[in-house]
Amino acid sequence: TKGTLFGSGSVVFASATLTALGLVFYLQNRLAGTTQFFDPVTPMVALAAPAVGAVLVSRRPFDRVGWLLCAGGFGALAFFAEQYAVYALVAHRGSLPGGVWMGWIGSWTWMLGLLPLSTLLLLMVPDGRLPSRQSRRVAWAVVATVAVAVVCAAMAPDRAGSASPVNPVGVSVLPQLSALAEVATGACSFLLGPLCLAALIGRYLGASPQARRQLGWFLGPAILAVLSPFAGLLVPLGFHQAMGLVAFVGLAAGVLVAAVKGHRYEIDREEVGLMAMVNGVSLAGAVAVYWITGRLLDSGVAETPGLGASVLGVLAAAAAWRPLRNLIGKGIDHLLAPRRAYQALISLGRCLEASIVPDDVLPALAGTIASALELSYVAVEVGRGEEVTAAAVHGEPGEDIVVVPLVHQHEVVGRLTVAPPPGKPLPAADLRLLRDLASQAGAAAYSVRVTADLRLSKERLVTAREEEWRHVRRELHDRLGPLNGILLGIAAGANVLAGGDALAGSALLGRLRTELRSEIDDIRALIGRLRPRSLVELGLAGALQRQAALSALPPRSLSVTVEAADLGHLPAAVEVAAYQITAEALTNVRRHAVARCCTIRLDVDDGWLEVEVTDDGIGLAPDFREGVGLACMRERASDLGGSVSVEAAPERGTRVYVEIPVGNQ
């Protein structure tokens, strides 16, 4: 975008400078007594159209309407070249070089500046697109006709009424080129112009109310611009010039108003007013520089001719234009900084109020900050540390990146990354305003992070529940195998008893009874983990003591001790989670620890329930990996804001430590 910004700005600067120099030559020519035709439409269009076009291109670098308006700057070149030729060839013959060539340039460049504005512009407003196949055909006809007019005017051997009747590149064998150029110009003005206007009126009549409000400001000047050539045949010259001046300047103004109304270019009325204020004051300063420079040169050097002083004054004014504009713009921004801050905060508040859906908060936040501070890039990231849980990006990143943390209640919940437009560093006042906006946006970022955490927690909870049910199904399936074995053993015992060996049959049935009792105990423990009824009857400590008693039964014979302080009244969710986590830890001890003793300690300290399960088993293996049971334990604790840690015990075995907040439930 740097190239487009530089290009559009250069067009505006060159148009203004050439128009000013053309006016200087025109005044000198009038003082010399020359009589010449002067049309104010060309220089005024050369000033107005590129100015509006540069504004549009600065917002959308490839906007066709903006570049078409910038092409109006050819009118400034035509005006300057024609007045230069008059000065060099008529008013002061031989005083300046290149008069013939400048006259040749002025004879055809005006077509490039004026003809497309009264034809193509009508087809492309407001979004730069050709709406139908018929309009595309008309557009190609306009391009071809303007090309024929320009080529024929540039190559015509004679140029009647021009300051330079001799064409340095004229084709003498084709004297009809002058007539063909006039025919092509007339076709644009009297045929294609009305066709483009009819297409514009048709779009206006069939448009929505909002589109009509856009096109309505442009429609009036478009009608005047198309009727202007016809009026030139009927009305006096002065009225015709005034009509053309209003029409073509009104076209540029209508495009700007349509852009403001349509919000396509992100331009508001306040911004247009500020631009007009800055440019107006800058223009007044440039005129003052021109006048002062001319006066100093005229009074300091007596031999300096009036033209030289005027030209140097224009060049000095042109050189001072941009520094003056930047200085005045900074001054006005400084004066309006409190108002901008107030408007930015109001816009941010409305944005957050309107963003009901959490997923829409960050994009709306980025767009609002970019619009309020005129930034080319805004990125909002929410998360913890380097972990990003949600993000939104507006625009394209530039070179000068500024990062501001988003803080809520002394906690960094995200960061705001911005970049100003290329070539326009972020002022200190805007940086302070950005920090103020970031402090206001911290609460919104925190809510987005909480929403993202809640969504992630729900996903984890669903996953954990599914894993737990899969674990239960696997446990039940594993219990069916021993039961089938017991069933086969009963059948074998029946056969032994039928054979008359009562002693062997009795021993076999005893072993089967022991195995069956063990399997029943395991199934009861599994059912207890699914729906711990003992919690309601005995409380957390009593329910765990019952689990300890079941674990002491053969064949495992694990000695489990429960040490519980006064736990007070625990929330139901905390009791269930602590019971299920402890029961799972106890199951792991029975299956994997090869332990003889296990101790369960329960305590409540400073609003936290602490559960510690230690054993004297073989400890953690070097290649230890967490299984489904431990993952479910962590998920249960995490759902309530707690945690689970597994480590080697101080002396021998394994230690499982659980913390669950009590006061939050």
Side-chain angles (χ1 to χ4, degrees), residues 205-277:
L205 295 177
S208 63
Q210 181 180 0
R212 284 192 180 186
R213 285 193 293 269
Q214 289 182 257
L215 295 176
W217 291 91
F218 184 80
L219 186 60
I223 294 174
L224 286 179
V226 173
L227 295 181
S228 179
F230 297 93
L233 304 176
L234 304 173
V235 300
L237 178 61
F239 183 83
H240 173 244
Q241 289 181 339
M243 183 178 179
L245 186 64
V246 172
F248 282 96
V249 175
L251 287 178
V255 171
L256 184 60
V257 174
V260 174
K261 291 289 185 180
H263 302 288
R264 181 172 182 265
Y265 299 88
E266 299 179 359
I267 305 173
D268 55 19
R269 288 174 291 182
E270 182 178 352
E271 183 177 1
V272 173
L274 289 176
M275 289 167 49
M277 183 186 302

Side-chain angles (χ1 to χ4, degrees), residues 25-38:
F25 279 111
Y26 172 74
L27 294 175
Q28 293 295 323
N29 295 336
R30 290 297 300 269
L31 292 175
T34 59
T35 58
Q36 57 173 321
F37 172 73
F38 174 70

Side-chain angles (χ1 to χ4, degrees), residues 169-186:
V169 296
V171 181
S172 58
V173 297
L174 295 175
Q176 302 85 359
L177 288 179
S178 296
L180 187 56
E182 293 180 0
V183 170
T185 304

Side-chain angles (χ1 to χ4, degrees), residues 1 4-5 8 53-67 126-128 259 262-267:
T1 58
T4 57
L5 290 173
S8 59
V55 173
L56 303 187
V57 171
S58 67
R59 297 302 192 276
R60 295 180 177 269
F62 302 102
D63 187 77
R64 296 177 182 177
V65 173
W67 284 114
D127 55 8
H263 302 288
R264 181 172 182 265
Y265 299 88
E266 299 179 359
I267 305 173

Side-chain angles (χ1 to χ4, degrees), residues 115-135:
L115 292 180
L117 295 182
S118 60
T119 51
L120 286 178
L121 186 62
L122 277 59
L123 295 175
M124 293 184 176
V125 167
D127 55 8
R129 293 180 296 179
L130 297 172
S132 64
R133 181 177 300 177
Q134 291 77 9
S135 62

Side-chain angles (χ1 to χ4, degrees), residues 414-453:
R415 62 183 179 181
L416 180 64
T417 305
V418 305
K424 184 181 178 182
L426 192 66
D430 285 2
L431 184 58
R432 290 192 296 269
L433 178 57
L434 180 64
R435 293 190 178 119
D436 292 339
L437 294 177
S439 65
Q440 299 298 321
Y446 178 75
S447 67
V448 171
R449 194 183 76 173
V450 170
T451 302
D453 291 345

